[in-house]
Amino acid sequence: MSTSRRSALQFGGLSLLGAAAVGVPVGNAVRAKAAGTLGKKDIPPRYTRPLPILSPLAPAGTKTLTGPGGSYSVPRYDIVEKESSARISPRFDTRMWTYNGIFPGPMISVDRGQEAVMRVRNQLPAVHPLFGYEFSTSTHLHGSASLPQYDGYANDLTPPGFYKDYVYPNAQNARTIWYHDHRVHWTANSAYTGLAAPYIIHDEFEKSVLPQGKYDVTLVVNDCILDAQGQLMLLDNSHSGLWGDIVMVNGMPWPYLEVEPRVYRFRILVASIGRSYRWTLSNGAPLHVVGTDGGLVPTTQSVTSFRHGMAERYEVLVDFRGQAGKTIELRNLSNKNNVDYDHTNKVLQFRVGSTVTSTENNTIPTTLFDTNEVMTLKRSDATKKRYFRLHKELDVWVINGETWDEVSGSNFRHVQADPGLGDVEVWTIENKGGGWFHPTHIHLVDFQILSRNGKPPMAHERGPKDVVYVGEGESVDLLMKFGPHRGRYMMHCHNLSHEDHDMMTQFSVGMPKDWTWDDNDPVAADPCKWDDLD
Ligand code: C2O
Ligand code: CU
Ligand code: CU
C-alpha cells in the first residue's frame, strides 16, 4: 500500500454515530434519535410543505461543434456553480454551493439523438467555506456514455474562475440520469453541499407508453444533518458513511404531493452520500418498476418493496386509480448497514384528489419494448471474466487491494481491466462482508446483472444498470459490452465517503498495450478555460 494514503478509518462496525446519537440496534439497521445538533423545535415538519416540481432548464444558446462532416450547431445549457442557500429547516437559511443557485440543480431534459453542450462555469469561492479544500470541480453526467474528456474524470479539474464545455451525445435510449461533482477526494463534500442534479433523455417509445408531463415526476432523494444554526454537517463516521436524520425530496424535507386518481410515473434518484432505502407504499399497493439506471426494463416488475442504493435510478408506476380522497405515503423500510433515525422511515406523502384531467398512458404496461442492447446479451457472448473484490485494507477502502493512488501515481496510465472496443465480458464483484454495502458504479457502460449470489437478480434490478448494490456478503456477476468510445474510465463505490477514501480505480477500452498518445485523454484532451465570458 502506498504511503500517501490517508489513514482515517478507525473503527470496524456501526458503533460510531453522529454527534447527538445514542444507537440501539433494531432489526438489521442501527437506530438512533438524531444525528445533528439542530434544536428539536427546528426539525423540519413532516408533510406540511409541497414537493418542489422540477421543471426543465431551457438552453441558453447554441455552440458550434466540428465533426467528420463539418461543423454544426447544438443547444447549449449554461450552468453556474455558485453559493446559495436553502430553507431546509424553516427558521434557517442553510448555506449551499450549487448549480445555478438551487438544490437539486436544474433538471435538463433532452430527446434522444440531440447532442448538447453543458457549459459549467465555476464561480464558487476559492476554497470550500465549510471544508477548506480548493473548490475545483469536475462534472460527471452519470449514466451517459460520454467521451473520457467530458466524463467528469476525477482529476480533470475546473478551478474557480474557469469554465468547461462538456459535450453530451444523448445518443442512448430513454433513461433517467444525473450530473454531479466528481472532484478527486472531495466528491462527497461537494455533492452533499449542493452539486447534484437530474438529467433526462426521452425517446419516442417511452413517450408512447409511459406517463408524461405532470404525470412524470422526478424525485431526487437525499438525507442531511444540520447543526444548531441550521448549517450542513458532514458526519461520515470516519469515512464509513453519512446517515442523515432529515430526508429530503427535491431539496424539501418530507414533502407532500397532490395527485390525481390515475397512474403516475416516478423517477426516483437516490442522491444520498451513504444511505440506501427500501421503498414501500403505506397502503400495501405494489410499486411497478418500469425502468432502471439504463432505461426501460424488458418486463414490468411489480413489487411491494425494493432496495435502492446510492446513485441508482428506478422508474416506478404508482396506480392511484380508485384511491380518490386517500392519503398514501412512500415509506423507507431501510436496509442492513444503515443508521436510522426517528423520521428516516418517512419520505413523501401523496394526497389523492378526485378529478382526472388526462387519461393518456393511464395504464400499467406489462412488457416494454427492449431498447437497450445489453439486455439481449447472453453469458455465452462474453469472451473474458474478471474479478473485483471490494474490501477494507487496514483503514482504507480498496478494490482488489488498490485505490486511486495507484492510478494517479502512474500518471493515470494504470488500469485494472483493458477490454477491447466492442468486447463483451463478465465482471464478478464481491463484498465478502465486514458490515458494509457498496453500490458499485462502472462508468461508460450499461450492464445486465446476471446473478446475485449465484441466484437470479432481484426482481427490481432486471433491467439495464450502471450501479449495482453489493451488500454485505454478496457477490454479483455483471454482463456488459465495452464501447462506444475508446479511453480510460473510472469505476468506484458510490458511497461517496468510500469513493473519496479511496475506493476508486479505472479501466481502459480499446487502448493498445503500450500506447503513447491518447486522443481522448481524460485530463488533457479538452481542459477547462479561463472564464472571461460576460
Ligand atoms: Cu455518479 Cu463516477 O459517479
Ligand atoms: Cu457515472
Ligand atoms: Cu463502498
Side-chain angles (χ1 to χ4, degrees):
M1 193 190 304
S2 74
T3 49
S4 67
R5 285 183 192 173
R6 286 161 298 162
S7 303
L9 299 165
Q10 286 146 356
F11 74 106
L14 284 176
S15 53
L16 242 181
L17 301 174
V22 185
V24 277
V26 171
N28 279 332
V30 174
R31 177 75 205 239
K33 277 310 226 194
T37 52
L38 187 67
K40 211 168 178 282
K41 62 177 190 323
D42 290 320
I43 295 173
R46 270 71 62 197
Y47 308 140
T48 61
R49 289 185 284 177
L51 174 77
I53 299 297
L54 308 179
S55 49
L57 182 72
T62 58
K63 171 147 178 167
T64 304
L65 300 177
T66 322
S71 51
Y72 58 101
S73 137
V74 301
R76 193 193 76 232
Y77 294 92
D78 284 2
I79 301 291
V80 180
E81 296 174 319
K82 59 180 181 188
E83 178 164 329
S84 182
S85 67
R87 272 289 152 110
I88 297 172
S89 170
R91 278 203 314 135
F92 299 105
D93 282 321
T94 302
R95 289 173 82 195
M96 295 190 82
W97 294 271
T98 63
Y99 297 121
N100 286 5
I102 53 174
F103 179 82
M107 180 167 82
I108 292 179
S109 175
V110 295
D111 283 330
R112 180 180 195 178
Q114 177 59 69
E115 194 176 5
V117 163
M118 193 165 91
R119 169 166 296 171
V120 182
R121 306 174 67 179
N122 185 343
Q123 295 178 6
L124 294 163
V127 297
H128 195 299
L130 300 184
F131 308 115
Y133 58 90
E134 195 255 338
F135 215 165
S136 289
T137 62
S138 177
T139 308
H140 172 50
L141 181 56
H142 179 142
S144 163
S146 308
L147 282 167
Q149 58 271 42
Y150 306 120
D151 197 45
Y153 197 71
N155 297 75
D156 177 29
L157 299 174
T158 300
F162 288 73
Y163 77 97
K164 175 156 172 153
D165 284 351
Y166 291 85
V167 181
Y168 297 138
N170 302 321
Q172 293 163 291
N173 57 285
R175 55 183 63 200
T176 305
I177 59 181
W178 61 307
Y179 57 102
H180 62 78
D181 197 59
H182 219 301
R183 187 206 193 286
V184 63
H185 292 316
W186 298 99
T187 293
N189 306 61
S190 294
Y192 179 63
T193 57
L195 297 179
Y199 190 114
I200 286 166
I201 302 178
H202 282 285
D203 69 18
E204 290 311 314
F205 177 72
E206 155 269 323
K207 284 184 187 171
S208 70
V209 287
L210 295 177
Q212 303 290 315
K214 64 176 171 175
Y215 308 116
D216 173 1
V217 185
T218 300
L219 304 176
V220 180
V221 180
N222 76 326
D223 57 323
C224 73
I225 306 174
L226 297 181
D227 69 12
Q229 286 73 47
Q231 302 308 307
L232 288 169
M233 301 171 84
L234 198 157
L235 303 172
D236 72 355
N237 307 297
S238 305
H239 309 315
S240 66
L242 185 146
W243 293 280
D245 50 5
I246 298 172
V247 177
M248 300 190 276
V249 189
N250 296 349
M252 179 64 76
W254 301 292
Y256 70 84
L257 174 67
E258 286 174 353
V259 295
E260 298 177 6
R262 56 152 286 154
V263 173
Y264 275 70
R265 173 190 195 177
F266 295 105
R267 303 169 182 264
I268 314 178
L269 155 66
V270 169
S272 286
I273 306 303
R275 179 181 294 288
S276 72
Y277 300 77
R278 190 151 47 98
W279 308 120
T280 195
L281 291 170
S282 57
N283 63 349
L287 293 153
H288 305 279
V289 178
V290 291
T292 50
D293 308 331
L296 302 188
V297 301
T299 308
T300 300
Q301 303 289 331
S302 302
V303 294
T304 51
S305 71
F306 70 94
R307 182 171 80 169
H308 189 156
M310 296 82 80
E312 289 183 289
R313 290 86 65 206
Y314 289 100
E315 294 190 27
V316 299
L317 299 183
V318 176
D319 193 350
F320 296 114
R321 287 177 295 188
Q323 306 293 312
K326 301 233 169 79
T327 297
I328 300 166
E329 274 174 58
L330 177 67
R331 289 192 182 144
N332 168 28
L333 298 172
S334 192
N335 302 297
K336 197 172 186 176
N337 304 317
N338 282 272
V339 180
D340 296 334
Y341 297 101
D342 280 355
H343 301 297
T344 49
N345 60 339
K346 305 174 188 70
V347 182
L348 172 63
Q349 183 193 63
F350 302 110
R351 299 178 183 175
V352 191
S354 50
T355 31
V356 175
T357 54
S358 163
T359 54
E360 207 188 340
N361 295 342
N362 192 22
T363 54
I364 312 285
T366 52
T367 355
L368 294 152
F369 183 76
D370 179 15
T371 50
N372 193 317
E373 187 198 3
V374 75
M375 297 311 293
T376 67
L377 298 177
K378 304 268 165 301
R379 190 186 276 269
S380 56
D381 296 332
T383 52
K384 195 159 187 119
K385 258 185 89 78
R386 300 184 200 260
Y387 174 78
F388 299 88
R389 179 172 176 225
L390 309 172
H391 66 127
K392 192 162 73 172
E393 199 174 274
L394 298 179
D395 49 7
V396 176
W397 302 104
V398 295
I399 301 176
N400 284 343
E402 295 180 358
T403 69
W404 193 248
D405 278 357
E406 273 72 20
V407 174
S408 49
S410 71
N411 197 22
F412 307 103
R413 292 187 64 100
H414 176 70
V415 297
Q416 283 204 18
D418 57 351
L421 189 64
D423 284 3
V424 177
E425 300 193 350
V426 172
W427 287 14
T428 300
I429 303 182
E430 186 168 38
N431 172 16
K432 282 197 173 137
W436 322 104
F437 63 98
H438 302 292
T440 306
H441 174 43
I442 303 172
H443 281 228
L444 179 68
V445 292
D446 298 327
F447 50 76
Q448 182 191 142
I449 304 177
L450 286 172
S451 64
R452 181 176 281 290
N453 295 336
K455 301 200 197 74
M458 294 176 181
H460 68 281
E461 55 186 7
R462 295 182 188 167
K465 298 277 297 154
D466 57 41
V467 179
V468 62
Y469 199 116
V470 194
E472 181 183 320
E474 293 180 356
S475 170
V476 292
D477 277 7
L478 311 178
L479 179 65
M480 66 208 107
K481 179 173 177 173
F482 290 88
H485 309 300
R486 294 176 193 275
R488 288 163 280 161
Y489 288 94
M490 299 176 286
M491 158 181 185
H492 58 89
C493 179
H494 225 293
N495 177 324
L496 296 179
S497 307
H498 295 187
E499 176 194 322
D500 287 337
H501 307 280
D502 206 5
M503 201 171 235
M504 182 158 82
T505 187
Q506 71 173 0
F507 61 97
S508 65
V509 177
M511 298 286 288
K513 271 268 172 292
D514 290 305
W515 59 271
T516 50
W517 179 254
D518 181 2
D519 277 335
N520 295 328
D521 187 290
V523 179
D526 192 2
C528 66
K529 296 188 173 69
W530 169 246
D531 189 350
D532 54 5
L533 309 161
D534 41 57

